[in-house]
Amino acid sequence: MNPPKITVTKEYEKFSTILGNRIINEKKVENLMADISKGLNLLPYCPVIVFRKDNNLKIVDGQHRFEATKRLELPVHYVECEQLDLKKIASLNSRSDKWKNSDFLECYVRLGIEDYVTLLDFLRKYKIIYSASIDLLMYGNPKAKGSNSMEAFRNGEFEVKFLDKATELVNLTTEIFGRYVFSNDRYLIGAVMELKEAGICDFEVLKNKVSEAPNIMEKKSNIKEYKYLIEQVYNFKNQKRVALF
């Protein structure tokens, strides 16, 4: 297989971005321009990757390099690849550190994939980390063992299957433990899930006990430790201990 040919041009109008490409980070462009202005121009060695469509060059990778080159009125170095849709581009980027989770989410939201729109709304409302939110919505569990949910998310294969369960679980956790900054911790949510499944706890009692003894609860690093604390709170001032799990 022949190596890709690097082409050079100053016809900037030939280039365009793809719907769903990341929004330009002005600071990144400015930093690139500053480096180039100081004599550190590595752009000829890092060509923009494009594919050709309708006589246009669609930028797959290198938006910021292209923008810096254009603003400095320098030649654009680019190589052509086969035509890719946005899902393939996102999948390609999932193999590297180039895209953050927010980039993938924005990409699929802009494509109009409803599951990702739902995820965005869920993240905005509950401020739970990506991996826990994705596991909750895909599997109904904030820490699904052996799941490949993050890979599915990056590849555009994320599906919302447990929205009602996830919403109910997070709302219950917030109702009881909302006073704490760690109330959106995936392990605390997991402990509440197991508490709910056990079917022994009176949640109104637990809520009142949290108010009576707020200092017992603290952030923990796993579900087991949270379960131990919750049981302590539930049995605060009880004469007879109740086992919740």
Side-chain angles (χ1 to χ4, degrees):
M1 182 177 179
N2 294 327
K5 177 186 176 183
I6 298 178
T7 306
V8 182
T9 183
K10 292 187 76 172
E11 297 179 79
Y12 309 118
E13 67 278 2
K14 286 185 175 182
F15 296 85
S16 62
T17 57
I18 306 169
L19 176 65
N21 277 147
R22 284 180 295 177
I23 295 172
I24 292 293
N25 183 325
E26 285 295 327
K27 185 64 176 176
K28 187 172 182 178
V29 174
E30 290 170 5
N31 288 339
L32 281 169
M33 292 172 65
D35 288 341
I36 293 168
S37 298
K38 293 174 184 177
L40 183 60
N41 183 6
L42 298 178
L43 297 182
Y45 308 101
C46 303
V48 176
I49 301 174
V50 303
F51 65 78
R52 190 175 294 273
K53 183 179 181 182
D54 301 329
N55 294 320
N56 287 320
L57 297 173
K58 301 290 187 180
I59 298 175
V60 173
D61 180 76
Q63 293 178 99
H64 295 88
R65 299 194 298 279
F66 170 76
E67 192 64 27
T69 302
K70 178 182 175 181
R71 293 183 191 183
L72 291 171
E73 299 182 352
L74 296 172
V76 180
H77 293 72
Y78 70 93
V79 296
E80 292 189 41
C81 69
E82 65 180 65
Q83 182 169 334
L84 302 174
D85 61 30
L86 197 55
K87 281 193 176 184
K88 288 180 180 177
I89 294 169
S91 179
L92 175 67
N93 279 280
S94 73
R95 304 297 187 257
S96 71
D97 292 327
K98 292 182 180 179
W99 277 22
K100 302 185 292 295
N101 288 331
S102 58
D103 294 320
F104 287 102
L105 180 59
E106 178 185 302
C107 163
Y108 294 124
V109 166
R110 291 176 71 181
L111 275 176
I113 302 177
E114 197 60 39
D115 296 276
Y116 286 82
V117 176
T118 300
L119 173 60
L120 177 60
D121 291 341
F122 191 85
L123 287 164
R124 284 175 172 170
K125 182 173 183 179
Y126 296 112
K127 306 296 187 296
I128 300 171
I129 62 173
Y130 274 82
S131 56
S133 294
I134 289 165
D135 277 348
L136 274 165
L137 293 171
M138 282 192 78
Y139 301 106
N141 187 322
K143 190 169 175 57
K145 292 182 179 179
S147 78
N148 61 347
S149 55
M150 290 307 296
E151 183 176 356
F153 162 73
R154 295 186 183 106
N155 289 340
E157 298 165 357
F158 165 73
E159 293 182 276
V160 176
K161 297 180 179 178
F162 292 93
L163 177 59
D164 290 343
K165 180 180 179 180
T167 302
E168 181 183 359
L169 183 57
V170 174
N171 284 339
L172 178 60
T173 304
T174 303
E175 182 182 351
I176 299 169
F177 300 107
R179 67 174 62 218
Y180 304 107
V181 295
F182 53 85
S183 62
N184 60 354
D185 186 344
R186 72 186 308 161
Y187 297 113
L188 178 58
I189 297 169
V192 172
M193 181 189 73
E194 292 191 19
L195 187 65
K196 193 171 184 296
E197 290 173 349
I200 299 171
C201 177
D202 184 323
F203 289 107
E204 277 302 315
V205 170
L206 177 58
K207 184 178 177 181
N208 291 333
K209 292 283 187 174
V210 169
S211 297
E212 292 177 33
N215 295 330
I216 294 177
M217 290 298 300
E218 60 183 10
K219 184 174 174 59
K220 292 297 181 182
S221 58
N222 58 60
I223 291 175
K224 184 177 180 180
E225 291 178 347
Y226 273 122
K227 287 164 63 177
Y228 174 76
L229 281 184
I230 290 172
E231 199 163 83
Q232 274 192 296
V233 172
Y234 196 79
N235 285 283
F236 180 69
K237 290 186 177 180
N238 284 1
Q239 293 184 348
K240 186 176 180 180
R241 186 171 186 81
V242 178
L244 297 178
F245 300 95

